[in-house]
Coordinates of all heavy atoms in Angstrom, one line a residue:
Y1 N -63.5 13.8 15.5 CA -63.2 12.4 16.1 C -63.7 12.5 17.6 O -64.3 11.4 18.0 CB -61.8 12.1 16.0 CG -61.3 11.6 14.7 CD1 -60.6 12.4 13.9 CD2 -61.5 10.3 14.2 CE1 -60.1 12.0 12.6 CE2 -61.1 9.9 12.9 CZ -60.4 10.8 12.2 OH -60.0 10.4 10.8
D2 N -63.3 13.4 18.4 CA -63.6 13.4 19.8 C -65.1 13.3 19.9 O -65.7 12.6 20.8 CB -63.1 14.8 20.4 CG -61.7 14.7 20.5 OD1 -61.0 13.7 20.3 OD2 -61.0 15.9 20.7
A3 N -65.9 14.1 19.2 CA -67.4 14.1 19.3 C -67.9 12.7 18.9 O -68.8 12.1 19.6 CB -68.0 15.1 18.4
L4 N -67.4 12.1 17.9 CA -67.8 10.7 17.5 C -67.5 9.7 18.5 O -68.4 8.8 18.9 CB -67.0 10.3 16.2 CG -67.6 10.6 14.8 CD1 -66.7 10.2 13.7 CD2 -69.0 10.1 14.7
F5 N -66.4 9.7 19.1 CA -66.0 8.8 20.1 C -66.8 8.8 21.4 O -67.1 8.0 22.2 CB -64.5 8.8 20.5 CG -63.6 8.3 19.5 CD1 -62.4 9.0 19.2 CD2 -63.9 7.2 18.7 CE1 -61.6 8.5 18.1 CE2 -63.1 6.7 17.7 CZ -61.9 7.3 17.5
D6 N -67.5 10.1 21.6 CA -68.2 10.4 22.8 C -69.7 9.7 22.6 O -70.4 9.5 23.5 CB -68.4 11.8 23.0 CG -68.6 12.1 24.5 OD1 -68.1 11.3 25.3 OD2 -69.3 13.1 24.8
C7 N -70.0 9.5 21.3 CA -71.3 9.0 20.9 C -71.4 7.6 20.5 O -72.5 7.0 20.5 CB -72.0 9.8 19.8 SG -72.2 11.6 20.2
M8 N -70.3 7.1 20.1 CA -70.2 5.6 19.8 C -69.0 4.9 20.3 O -67.9 5.6 20.5 CB -70.1 5.5 18.2 CG -71.3 6.1 17.4 SD -71.0 5.9 15.6 CE -71.2 4.1 15.4
P9 N -69.0 3.6 20.5 CA -67.9 3.0 21.0 C -66.7 3.1 20.0 O -66.9 3.1 18.8 CB -68.3 1.5 21.1 CG -69.7 1.6 21.3 CD -70.2 2.8 20.5
P10 N -65.4 3.2 20.4 CA -64.3 3.5 19.5 C -64.2 2.4 18.4 O -63.9 2.7 17.2 CB -63.1 3.5 20.4 CG -63.6 3.9 21.7 CD -65.0 3.4 21.8
E11 N -64.5 1.1 18.7 CA -64.3 0.0 17.8 C -65.4 0.2 16.7 O -65.1 -0.1 15.5 CB -64.4 -1.3 18.4 CG -65.7 -1.6 19.1 CD -65.7 -1.1 20.5 OE1 -64.9 -0.4 20.9 OE2 -66.8 -1.4 21.2
Q12 N -66.6 0.7 17.0 CA -67.6 0.9 16.0 C -67.2 2.0 15.1 O -67.5 2.0 13.9 CB -69.0 1.2 16.7 CG -69.6 -0.1 17.2 CD -71.1 0.1 17.5 OE1 -71.7 0.9 16.8 NE2 -71.7 -0.6 18.3
V13 N -66.6 3.1 15.6 CA -66.2 4.2 14.8 C -65.2 3.8 13.8 O -65.3 4.1 12.6 CB -65.7 5.4 15.7 CG1 -65.1 6.5 14.9 CG2 -66.8 6.0 16.6
E14 N -64.2 3.1 14.4 CA -63.1 2.6 13.4 C -63.7 1.7 12.3 O -63.2 1.8 11.2 CB -62.0 1.9 14.2 CG -61.4 2.8 15.2 CD -60.5 3.9 14.6 OE1 -60.3 3.9 13.4 OE2 -60.2 4.9 15.3
R15 N -64.6 0.8 12.7 CA -65.1 -0.1 11.7 C -65.9 0.6 10.7 O -65.8 0.3 9.4 CB -66.1 -1.1 12.4 CG -66.7 -2.2 11.4 CD -67.4 -3.3 12.2 NE -68.4 -2.6 13.2 CZ -69.7 -2.3 12.8 NH1 -70.1 -2.4 11.6 NH2 -70.5 -1.9 13.7
R16 N -66.8 1.6 11.1 CA -67.6 2.3 10.1 C -66.7 3.3 9.2 O -67.1 3.5 8.1 CB -68.6 3.1 10.9 CG -69.8 2.2 11.5 CD -70.7 3.0 12.3 NE -71.7 2.2 13.0 CZ -72.9 1.8 12.5 NH1 -73.3 2.3 11.3 NH2 -73.7 1.1 13.1
I17 N -65.6 3.7 9.8 CA -64.7 4.5 9.0 C -64.0 3.6 7.9 O -63.9 4.0 6.8 CB -63.6 5.2 9.9 CG1 -64.2 6.3 10.7 CG2 -62.5 5.8 9.0 CD1 -63.3 7.0 11.6
A18 N -63.7 2.5 8.3 CA -63.0 1.5 7.4 C -64.0 1.1 6.3 O -63.6 0.9 5.1 CB -62.5 0.3 8.1
S19 N -65.3 1.0 6.6 CA -66.2 0.5 5.6 C -66.8 1.7 4.8 O -67.4 1.5 3.7 CB -67.4 -0.1 6.3 OG -68.2 0.9 7.1
G20 N -66.4 3.0 5.1 CA -66.8 4.1 4.4 C -68.2 4.7 4.8 O -68.7 5.7 4.4
E21 N -68.8 4.1 5.8 CA -70.1 4.6 6.4 C -69.8 6.0 7.1 O -70.7 6.9 7.1 CB -70.7 3.6 7.4 CG -71.2 2.4 6.8 CD -71.8 1.5 8.0 OE1 -73.0 1.8 8.3 OE2 -71.1 0.7 8.4
I22 N -68.7 6.1 7.7 CA -68.2 7.4 8.2 C -67.0 8.0 7.5 O -66.0 7.2 7.4 CB -67.9 7.3 9.8 CG1 -69.2 6.9 10.5 CG2 -67.4 8.6 10.3 CD1 -68.9 6.6 12.0
E23 N -67.1 9.1 7.0 CA -66.0 9.7 6.3 C -65.6 11.1 6.9 O -66.5 11.9 7.2 CB -66.4 10.0 4.8 CG -65.3 10.6 4.0 CD -65.6 10.8 2.6 OE1 -66.7 10.3 2.2 OE2 -65.0 11.5 1.8
I24 N -64.4 11.3 7.3 CA -63.9 12.6 7.9 C -62.8 13.1 6.9 O -61.8 12.4 6.8 CB -63.4 12.3 9.3 CG1 -64.4 11.6 10.2 CG2 -63.0 13.6 9.9 CD1 -64.0 11.3 11.6
A25 N -63.1 14.2 6.4 CA -62.1 14.7 5.4 C -62.2 16.2 5.3 O -63.2 16.8 5.6 CB -62.5 14.2 4.0
P26 N -61.1 16.9 4.9 CA -61.1 18.3 4.7 C -62.0 18.7 3.6 O -62.3 17.9 2.6 CB -59.7 18.7 4.4 CG -59.0 17.4 3.9 CD -59.8 16.3 4.6
I27 N -62.5 20.0 3.6 CA -63.5 20.4 2.6 C -63.0 20.3 1.1 O -63.8 20.1 0.3 CB -64.0 21.9 2.9 CG1 -65.1 22.3 2.1 CG2 -62.8 22.9 2.7 CD1 -65.8 23.6 2.5
A28 N -61.7 20.3 0.9 CA -61.2 20.3 -0.4 C -61.5 18.9 -1.1 O -61.6 18.8 -2.3 CB -59.6 20.5 -0.4
F29 N -61.8 17.9 -0.2 CA -62.1 16.6 -0.8 C -63.5 16.5 -1.3 O -63.9 15.5 -1.8 CB -61.8 15.5 0.2 CG -60.3 15.2 0.5 CD1 -59.4 16.2 0.2 CD2 -59.9 14.0 1.0 CE1 -58.1 16.0 0.4 CE2 -58.6 13.8 1.3 CZ -57.6 14.7 1.0
M30 N -64.3 17.5 -1.1 CA -65.8 17.4 -1.4 C -66.0 17.8 -2.9 O -67.1 17.5 -3.4 CB -66.6 18.3 -0.5 CG -66.5 18.0 1.0 SD -67.2 16.5 1.3 CE -65.7 15.5 1.8
R31 N -65.1 18.4 -3.5 CA -65.3 18.9 -4.9 C -65.7 17.8 -5.9 O -65.1 16.7 -5.8 CB -64.1 19.7 -5.3 CG -64.3 20.4 -6.7 CD -63.1 21.3 -7.1 NE -62.9 22.3 -6.2 CZ -63.6 23.5 -6.2 NH1 -64.6 23.7 -7.2 NH2 -63.4 24.5 -5.4
G32 N -66.7 18.1 -6.7 CA -67.1 17.1 -7.8 C -67.9 15.9 -7.3 O -68.3 15.1 -8.1
R33 N -68.4 16.0 -6.0 CA -69.1 14.9 -5.5 C -70.6 15.2 -5.3 O -71.0 16.4 -5.2 CB -68.6 14.4 -4.2 CG -67.1 14.0 -4.2 CD -66.6 13.7 -2.9 NE -67.4 12.5 -2.3 CZ -67.1 12.1 -1.0 NH1 -66.2 12.7 -0.3 NH2 -67.8 11.1 -0.5
T34 N -71.5 14.2 -5.3 CA -72.9 14.4 -5.0 C -73.2 13.5 -3.7 O -73.0 12.3 -3.7 CB -73.9 14.0 -6.1 OG1 -73.7 14.9 -7.2 CG2 -75.3 14.2 -5.6
L35 N -73.5 14.2 -2.6 CA -73.6 13.5 -1.3 C -75.1 13.1 -1.1 O -75.8 13.9 -0.5 CB -73.0 14.3 -0.2 CG -71.6 14.8 -0.5 CD1 -71.1 15.7 0.6 CD2 -70.7 13.6 -0.7
A36 N -75.5 11.9 -1.5 CA -76.9 11.5 -1.3 C -76.9 10.5 -0.1 O -75.9 9.9 0.3 CB -77.4 10.8 -2.6
D37 N -78.2 10.4 0.5 CA -78.4 9.5 1.6 C -77.4 9.7 2.7 O -76.9 8.8 3.3 CB -78.4 8.0 1.2 CG -79.4 7.7 0.2 OD1 -80.6 8.1 0.6 OD2 -79.2 7.2 -0.9
S38 N -77.0 11.0 3.0 CA -75.9 11.2 3.9 C -76.3 12.3 4.9 O -77.2 13.2 4.7 CB -74.7 11.7 3.1 OG -74.3 10.8 2.2
F39 N -75.7 12.3 6.1 CA -75.8 13.4 7.1 C -74.4 14.1 7.0 O -73.4 13.4 7.3 CB -76.0 12.9 8.4 CG -76.5 13.9 9.3 CD1 -77.9 13.9 9.8 CD2 -75.8 15.0 9.8 CE1 -78.4 14.9 10.7 CE2 -76.2 16.0 10.7 CZ -77.5 15.9 11.1
I40 N -74.4 15.3 6.5 CA -73.2 16.1 6.3 C -73.0 17.1 7.2 O -73.9 18.0 7.4 CB -73.2 16.6 4.8 CG1 -73.7 15.5 3.8 CG2 -71.9 17.2 4.4 CD1 -74.5 16.1 2.7
I41 N -71.8 17.3 7.8 CA -71.5 18.3 8.9 C -70.3 19.0 8.4 O -69.2 18.4 8.2 CB -71.4 17.8 10.2 CG1 -72.6 17.1 10.7 CG2 -71.0 18.9 11.2 CD1 -72.5 16.4 12.0
L42 N -70.4 20.4 8.3 CA -69.2 21.2 8.0 C -68.9 22.0 9.3 O -69.7 22.8 9.7 CB -69.4 22.1 6.9 CG -68.3 23.1 6.5 CD1 -66.9 22.4 6.2 CD2 -68.7 24.1 5.4
D43 N -67.7 21.8 9.9 CA -67.4 22.4 11.1 C -66.3 23.6 10.8 O -65.7 23.6 9.7 CB -66.7 21.4 12.1 CG -66.6 22.0 13.5 OD1 -67.4 22.9 13.9 OD2 -65.7 21.6 14.2
E44 N -66.3 24.5 11.7 CA -65.4 25.7 11.5 C -65.6 26.4 10.1 O -64.7 26.8 9.5 CB -64.0 25.3 11.7 CG -63.6 24.7 13.0 CD -63.6 25.7 14.2 OE1 -63.4 26.9 13.8 OE2 -63.8 25.4 15.3
A45 N -66.9 26.6 9.8 CA -67.2 27.0 8.5 C -66.9 28.5 8.2 O -66.8 28.9 7.2 CB -68.7 26.8 8.3
Q46 N -66.6 29.2 9.3 CA -66.2 30.6 9.2 C -64.9 30.7 8.5 O -64.5 31.8 7.9 CB -66.1 31.3 10.5 CG -64.9 31.0 11.4 CD -65.1 29.7 12.2 OE1 -66.2 29.0 12.1 NE2 -64.2 29.4 13.1

């Protein structure tokens, strides 16, 4: 969230999260999905 707010105005971040354009979720939520047309970042991957 901190990195996002540094790159976009907070109101835009919240609006895009609400619309589903930005999704922030733990890795367990990724199972069973196919992520197309997306930019996907996994942090703390170790």
Side-chain angles (χ1 to χ4, degrees):
Y1 283 102
D2 292 341
L4 271 178
F5 289 139
D6 210 30
C7 295
M8 297 179 71
E11 62 275 8
Q12 285 197 26
V13 174
E14 297 296 344
R15 177 173 57 81
R16 290 177 185 266
I17 290 176
S19 69
E21 290 179 83
I22 296 177
E23 180 181 347
I24 305 177
I27 190 172
F29 286 24
M30 299 294 111
R31 186 174 296 279
R33 302 175 62 184
T34 299
L35 306 175
D37 295 308
S38 303
F39 198 111
I40 311 146
I41 300 174
L42 175 61
D43 193 25
E44 298 293 335
Q46 75 275 5

